[in-house]
């Protein structure tokens, strides 16, 4: 089985998928941080393509950066200055060739994540 990476972003405050959110994937090697891809969530809060497809999969340490401040601004969530959650980085390791699913459950003042399936 080849490995790959997906996500799903849900806006728990509004009770809907988080459409239109920019997500960046970085590969981390020591102090080096390399941008692999930048995508935007669709109407279902997912990306149209796998974030890291099987043909590009490599084990290692990665970081997803969710641009939550811009998303919250676009949805009309009352702004703070600065916004409490502007960027949410989630650093994680992929140690085997399998499906890694890293979802984000978001509200303006909190979030959670887990290794999904």
């Amino acid at each position: 089985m080849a490995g790959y990476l997906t996500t799903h972003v849900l806006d728990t405050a509004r009770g809907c998928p988080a459409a239109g959110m920019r997500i960046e994937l970085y590969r981390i090697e020591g102090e080096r941080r390399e941008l692999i891809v930048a995508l935007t969530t669709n109407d279902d809060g997912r990306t149209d393509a796998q974030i890291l497809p099987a043909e590009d999969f490599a084990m290692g340490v990665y970081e997803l950066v969710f641009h939550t401040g811009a998303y919250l601004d676009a949805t009309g969530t009352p702004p703070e200055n600065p916004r409490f959650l502007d960027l949410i980085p989630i650093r994680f390791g992929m140690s085997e060739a399998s499906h890694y699913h890293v979802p984000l459950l978001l509200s303006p003042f909190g979030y959670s994540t887990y290794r999904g399936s």
Side-chain angles (χ1 to χ4, degrees):
M1 171 184 213
Y4 61 100
L5 174 64
T6 59
T7 192
H8 189 195
V9 185
L10 297 172
D11 183 331
T12 58
R14 296 175 56 226
C16 63
M21 183 184 294
R22 179 179 170 87
I23 301 171
E24 297 166 346
L25 175 68
Y26 293 87
R27 180 166 171 84
I28 310 298
E29 293 184 32
E31 296 299 314
R32 193 169 144 242
R33 186 174 179 250
E34 176 189 359
L35 178 64
I36 303 297
V37 67
L39 302 163
T40 302
T41 57
N42 60 25
D43 288 344
D44 192 36
R46 300 173 189 274
T47 56
D48 289 331
Q50 295 170 349
I51 297 172
L52 188 62
E55 58 268 15
D56 298 328
F57 182 85
M59 292 181 276
V61 177
Y62 291 84
E63 184 176 82
L64 282 169
V65 177
F66 296 86
H67 289 248
T68 55
Y71 165 79
L72 293 168
D73 289 345
T75 63
T77 302
E80 314 90 38
N81 189 15
R83 200 170 265 293
F84 181 68
L85 294 174
D86 183 40
L87 297 174
I88 297 176
I90 299 174
R91 192 169 286 193
F92 57 96
M94 296 193 292
S95 60
E96 60 184 333
S98 68
H99 177 196
Y100 286 83
H101 184 68
V102 181
L104 181 71
L105 305 176
L106 171 69
S107 75
F109 300 103
Y111 69 92
S112 66
T113 190
Y114 54 94
R115 182 177 175 182
S117 58

